[in-house]
Amino acid sequence: MRYLLIALAFVLGLSTSTYGQSEKDITAEQYERMIENAFEVDLRKVAIQSLDLNEEEITAFTPVYMKYMNEKADLIDRRMKRVEAYEEEMAEDDRAADEARESARFVKDYWGIDIDELQLKNEYYDKFVDAITYDEAVRFFDIEESFRSRMARAALVNVVPTMIHLEPIMIAYKTEKESFDNWKSINIDGEVDLDHTFTHDGLTKLMDYADAMVTTEGIEVDNFEQRKSDILNIADKLTKNWTSTKHADWTKKAFTHTTAMIRDIESEAGVYMASSQLQKLEEAANAIEGSKLMTNQKEAIYTFFDHAQKVMNTLSDRIATKSYQDYNMR
């Protein structure tokens, strides 16, 4: 029973060892510190960078963020105290019927706090939308929920090993991942026309995905911003200079640069991937022939984005897995 209770406490990204006794309430700063200690990231800084907020938006975002984190910390504090009270009740030598009633009350209280958390999220979604934009507000909740959930998964797996099969690995940039995945699914046989919109959109969404991955996970890639800008500039050239005869050359350059960037992300993230996956992506990039029209190479373009999706999704899964394994070792 004690292990289950510890696991429940960890679902909050919290443990009795990091929190201590209930003599003082947890604060927003302590909540942030738990995330920082677990993943070596500054949540506010990651949010600002990931959302690409300008100075005006940062000024509007920060006070809402701090109020939200304080109220979220209050809920975490409430839940932890309820877990501790329940643990004390279960330690007493009560009749089975009394323990059953207390367990039922505990579950109801626990779910009640879940409801309060949803209500808090709903309330602050509107406040964040007033400060930034609706999609940026969604992204912020993605980031915060992912880090909390990954700490919870790490703790649950630590005390209940079978949970590794039941608890999904969450990533903090699922909006960008899903955007690329959805584009790929909808455009599986997209038109590679003279306007080159298909290739442009694919590169743009792929760069958004890569940018969110390195920013959120704190992966240091040499000259990342400039390399990303170069790839996006090529993507823009494809649609603006539609009469050029260099589209295939530009596309091959963008694809090979993208492949090199992804290789560097994998290396700097310190995760393992089968070399064949990256090799297939590299071969797909090199398969573009500068002497042929892009419209006659649509299968090669489809193949590149197929492999890019597989590689990036594998990377995101491996990086998230590594983060909770590293957390377990702390």
Side-chain angles (χ1 to χ4, degrees):
M1 175 63 73
R2 178 173 176 79
Y3 284 141
L4 176 59
L5 291 169
I6 294 172
L8 286 171
F10 263 104
V11 168
L12 311 165
L14 188 62
S15 75
T16 53
S17 62
T18 57
Y19 174 65
Q21 303 301 314
S22 296
E23 295 173 357
K24 80 172 185 178
D25 296 340
I26 184 173
T27 66
E29 289 75 16
Q30 289 171 317
Y31 176 40
E32 287 185 292
R33 199 175 306 126
M34 286 188 293
I35 293 176
E36 182 177 350
N37 290 342
F39 299 104
E40 297 180 350
V41 298
D42 179 331
L43 181 59
R44 178 177 173 273
K45 182 178 179 181
V46 165
I48 289 171
Q49 289 180 338
S50 298
L51 304 179
D52 195 23
L53 303 183
N54 58 37
E55 288 188 16
E56 183 179 349
E57 289 173 322
I58 293 171
T59 300
F61 168 80
T62 298
V64 179
Y65 168 83
M66 291 307 301
K67 288 179 182 178
Y68 169 74
M69 293 296 282
N70 272 305
E71 293 198 42
K72 190 66 172 281
D74 288 343
L75 286 173
I76 291 173
D77 186 57
R78 273 179 53 199
R79 195 189 297 260
M80 188 60 206
K81 286 176 178 175
R82 187 64 189 93
V83 169
E84 289 176 344
Y86 178 60
E87 185 177 12
E88 290 174 4
E89 287 287 340
M90 291 298 99
E92 296 176 2
D93 189 17
D94 292 333
R95 295 179 305 162
D98 292 335
E99 288 192 355
R101 279 194 296 272
E102 179 57 31
S103 294
R105 188 162 72 90
F106 169 74
V107 170
K108 184 176 180 180
D109 291 347
Y110 197 87
W111 285 345
I113 297 171
D114 282 346
I115 293 170
D116 289 344
E117 283 193 329
L118 287 173
Q119 290 175 337
L120 180 69
K121 185 175 181 179
N122 183 61
E123 174 189 348
Y124 271 87
Y125 173 75
D126 291 336
K127 294 180 180 181
F128 278 119
V129 168
D130 288 340
I132 45 181
T133 66
Y134 79 91
D135 55 333
E136 289 167 343
V138 171
R139 274 283 290 123
F140 167 73
F141 287 118
D142 280 353
I143 294 167
E144 189 236 355
E145 182 61 27
S146 175
F147 284 125
R148 265 186 84 230
S149 296
R150 278 154 58 184
M151 283 195 293
R153 186 179 196 272
L156 285 168
V157 169
N158 199 35
V159 296
V160 188
T162 55
M163 292 300 291
I164 195 169
H165 303 294
L166 303 176
E167 287 292 319
I169 296 173
M170 292 187 65
I171 62 171
Y173 41 94
K174 67 179 182 179
T175 298
E176 289 81 4
K177 177 186 180 299
E178 289 175 355
S179 178
F180 181 68
D181 285 343
N182 290 339
W183 169 84
K184 180 65 180 53
S185 297
I186 294 170
N187 295 279
I188 191 168
D189 291 317
E191 290 294 326
V192 180
D193 288 332
L194 291 174
D195 64 8
H196 303 293
T197 300
F198 177 82
T199 307
H200 168 275
D201 291 351
L203 285 169
T204 300
K205 291 186 179 296
L206 187 53
M207 286 301 101
D208 286 345
Y209 190 176
D211 190 7
M213 179 183 289
V214 299
T215 300
T216 305
E217 301 291 354
I219 303 168
E220 298 290 338
V221 176
D222 285 344
N223 209 21
F224 178 83
E225 288 299 326
Q226 184 59 56
R227 293 162 72 182
K228 181 189 73 172
S229 178
D230 290 344
I231 292 166
L232 291 176
N233 285 338
I234 292 174
D236 287 342
K237 280 203 301 184
L238 290 173
T239 58
K240 292 177 181 177
N241 301 327
W242 64 272
T243 60
S244 174
T245 59
K246 296 183 178 180
H247 289 124
D249 289 324
W250 292 339
T251 299
K252 183 170 185 173
K253 184 176 181 180
F255 284 3
T256 55
H257 284 3
T258 299
T259 301
M261 176 189 288
I262 293 173
R263 278 191 177 277
D264 287 350
I265 293 173
E266 183 252 1
S267 175
E268 293 301 324
V271 296
Y272 170 77
M273 282 185 61
S275 59
S276 59
Q277 282 189 278
L278 288 167
Q279 185 176 347
K280 288 177 180 177
L281 180 63
E282 189 171 335
E283 289 171 353
N286 289 326
I288 302 296
E289 299 180 40
S291 59
K292 292 175 62 176
L293 290 174
M294 288 280 286
T295 50
N296 294 334
Q297 301 189 71
K298 63 181 182 180
E299 292 304 326
I301 295 171
Y302 297 153
T303 299
F304 175 81
F305 285 117
D306 281 341
H307 288 305
Q309 181 186 31
K310 291 172 185 175
V311 168
M312 288 294 288
N313 287 350
T314 299
L315 259 180
S316 66
D317 182 74
R318 297 285 166 81
I319 292 168
T321 300
K322 181 178 182 295
S323 70
Y324 92 76
Q325 289 173 335
D326 290 346
Y327 176 71
N328 264 343
M329 291 188 291
R330 292 174 189 272

